[in-house]
Amino acid sequence: MTIGEKIALRRRTAGLSQEALAAQLGVSRQAVSRWETDESLPDTEKIAQLCRIFGVSADDLLLDKPPETSASARPPLPLCRRLFWHVYLWMGAIGVLMALAGLIGAIFWALRTDQWYYDIGRIGTALLYHWMGPIAAGGGCLIMLALLLLVFDVLLSRLD
């Protein structure tokens, strides 16, 4: 794998465009493009900056060996992050089950009853005035909380 291919791979893995990488290095986008197509090579100062940006050693960029994949280069998640991942995963699963239980209960109640408030209908009556409503609402809240924790975890992993 050439130096240019390694630079392009590391740039894409880091989620950077050529323009963004060029701005961080203080060069033009065309210079980054020439490096990636092996038309030219970056000078030593730029190689040092690339290593800092990508979090790799100069050997990884310069030596003729395949780069480590991002999964193997990344250290394993600490125990607290793994537990946090399990918490929002289970929270979302329980939320989905609760929401489904509430909605299915409301549908069954609506099919069996002939008494309801005309302005909100049978299912609306079941959700607002019987046990199914709080179950469905609690499930929806758990789903939303799990999604917020997922977003927080994604943002936290970007900082790593």
Side-chain angles (χ1 to χ4, degrees), residues 125-136:
T125 302
L127 289 174
L128 287 177
Y129 297 106
H130 296 285
W131 62 268
M132 292 76 82
I135 298 291

Side-chain angles (χ1 to χ4, degrees), residues 101-154:
L103 290 175
I104 289 171
I107 290 170
F108 280 130
W109 184 87
L111 291 174
R112 291 185 340 197
T113 190
D114 57 352
Q115 297 176 352
W116 69 88
Y117 296 104
Y118 289 102
D119 54 343
I120 58 174
R122 291 180 182 189
I123 294 179
T125 302
L127 289 174
L128 287 177
Y129 297 106
H130 296 285
W131 62 268
M132 292 76 82
I135 298 291
C141 288
L142 280 178
I143 292 169
M144 294 304 294
L145 185 59
L147 288 174
L148 286 173
L149 290 174
L150 172 66
V151 168
F152 177 72
D153 189 39
V154 167

Side-chain angles (χ1 to χ4, degrees), residues 39-144:
E39 293 176 26
S40 66
L41 293 173
D43 60 12
T44 54
E45 178 185 327
K46 299 304 178 199
I47 289 175
Q49 287 178 329
L50 285 168
C51 291
R52 280 193 298 274
I53 291 170
F54 297 146
V56 297
S57 68
D59 288 348
D60 287 339
L61 282 180
L62 299 177
L63 295 181
D64 191 23
K65 65 177 186 174
E68 296 177 2
T69 61
S70 61
S72 64
R74 207 177 277 167
L77 288 175
L79 179 64
C80 60
R81 289 283 299 278
R82 286 185 301 207
L83 290 175
F84 183 67
W85 183 80
H86 286 290
V87 165
Y88 70 76
L89 183 70
W90 278 103
M91 189 180 298
I94 291 170
V96 167
L97 292 175
M98 285 177 61
L100 285 174
L103 290 175
I104 289 171
I107 290 170
F108 280 130
W109 184 87
L111 291 174
R112 291 185 340 197
T113 190
D114 57 352
Q115 297 176 352
W116 69 88
Y117 296 104
Y118 289 102
D119 54 343
I120 58 174
R122 291 180 182 189
I123 294 179
T125 302
L127 289 174
L128 287 177
Y129 297 106
H130 296 285
W131 62 268
M132 292 76 82
I135 298 291
C141 288
L142 280 178
I143 292 169
M144 294 304 294

